[in-house]
Amino acid sequence: TVVVNNQWHSLIVMTEIVKWSPIACLPHMKLTPSGLLDLDTPDGEIEVITRANAELRIAKAIPVMKPPGLNSSHNIQASQEYEDRDPNLICTITTHRLVFLQNDLKEKTRSQRYGKCIHLSMVINAGLSGKGLTFKSPKLVLNTYAYGEVVIAFDKSSKGHADRDDMHSALERSIARRAWEDSTRVEQTKKVISSKGSIDNKVGVGAILAKNKARHDEAKRASNDAFSGDVEDLMAEARGLAEIINKYVATLDKKRRKEQGTAVQRDEDEDKLTDMLQNMGMTSAVTRATAGSNKLYYHQLARQLADFMMVGNRLSHAGGMITLTDVYCLFNRARGSNLISPDDLLYVSDLLKDLDLGMTKRSFPSGVIVIQSDEYDDEIVSAELKAAAEKTWADNKSGITALDASKSLKIPAILALEQLQSAESLGLLCRDVTLEGVRFFSNIYF
């Protein structure tokens, strides 16, 4: 009970009892709307490898971490006894962190998913346990500053040994690279460059031209170094390339906002450049090699597809649905060289509903397949088409065609025809087939 303005008010405090185990004691990892890792892209974080069916073990009992964003009326309380292991987790290694996710292979919804992480700067060294032909499960043993010995156990099978070895080599590479320190090195490099420029004798226009030339030379060097070496070189230059792309996109967007208030026509080349930069690819596209198993690969691919459709409200701006062929072209263009097959897209589109990702696959009677938002309502769209048909009749004494509906709903003509037929099946419209084609009219008897 609390006092506000000399009046007593009751305050309800909710207490959530959580299992006191290692996963509850680690810092939280932010997830995307679909439940994938929300990587620190500005700092150059990239996903390296992911394996399922891992078990996290920490013998040292540590306090439970309270999730960020909880208000004062929500408390987290641990259970009485500490359990030193959490089975059935998805373990992911990035260039910055070691992340543990709840295993979603049993169609867990995104509201049930959580992510916990250990920053790689906390890891002193990593070793292997359970080598050779033994009955012990293969383990990856980490010595850390804050949590003591952290053990990641895998299945007692040949695949479990292979997963353990792959994770160990990827972890050692990430620790050796220390990519989280790149931001500090970049800032120091910028200070050195600025200090060199301050003693330059050039002034006025000459100084401006020299500065622009140096900036373009640095961007050219970064791109050449990144694409001329191996994967490690590309990852080392990923942060610089991302900064260059974001800078050019921001510059073009700023120029476009200035020109919106004038009568200046936008340059088509600038539009193409902006679209190209914004769709150059994903920094951590899901692949079979990083996922390790087909089932985990398809689940992660479905979540990445959902995130892609949510970026910039791409699905809602398309009228709530996009044909599967358009999704295939857009998604593969964003993935760059990590292309997926039509069969893969067809398979993961069936998982969207099971994983509760806010969208689902829909097949029309004509055979057209679309990805449709869960917020989409056939009755609302049919009512809009009925109103458009009534307006067209009042103005021109005629009905509406698929092209008219396409302009009204701002969707492709093939989807507009499907919407007209859906409204007809609901009894809101009726059709008139003539030599001129098919026109739809408002059903006055409904």
Side-chain angles (χ1 to χ4, degrees), residues 226-237:
F227 293 106
S228 62
D230 55 11
V231 177
E232 292 296 328
D233 295 333
L234 178 59
M235 291 176 63
E237 297 291 343

Side-chain angles (χ1 to χ4, degrees), residues 107-151:
E107 285 76 37
K108 297 292 183 183
T109 62
R110 50 182 169 166
S111 61
Q112 294 174 306
R113 278 176 70 88
Y114 54 79
K116 299 299 185 72
C117 65
I118 299 176
H119 200 277
L120 296 186
S121 61
M122 304 293 295
V123 179
I124 303 173
N125 54 52
L128 300 178
S129 177
K131 295 182 179 180
L133 298 175
T134 64
F135 295 100
K136 295 182 179 180
S137 58
K139 303 179 186 67
L140 184 60
V141 183
L142 313 179
N143 291 318
T144 64
Y145 291 106
Y147 312 109
E149 186 178 85
V150 176
V151 177

Side-chain angles (χ1 to χ4, degrees), residues 237-251:
E237 297 291 343
R239 187 176 188 277
L241 290 174
E243 288 183 351
I244 294 170
I245 293 172
N246 292 334
K247 181 179 68 175
Y248 279 115
V249 171
T251 302

Side-chain angles (χ1 to χ4, degrees), residues 257-298:
R257 286 194 298 269
K258 288 182 178 179
E259 292 179 351
Q260 284 180 351
T262 64
V264 179
Q265 186 176 2
R266 291 204 305 263
D267 189 358
E268 293 183 1
D269 292 337
E270 290 184 0
D271 292 339
K272 292 180 181 179
L273 178 59
T274 302
D275 294 337
M276 180 188 69
L277 292 174
Q278 290 175 339
N279 293 280
M280 280 193 70
M282 301 175 181
T283 55
S284 294
V286 176
T287 63
R288 280 188 172 87
T290 58
S293 66
N294 283 338
K295 201 166 188 180
L296 178 59
Y297 165 71
Y298 284 127

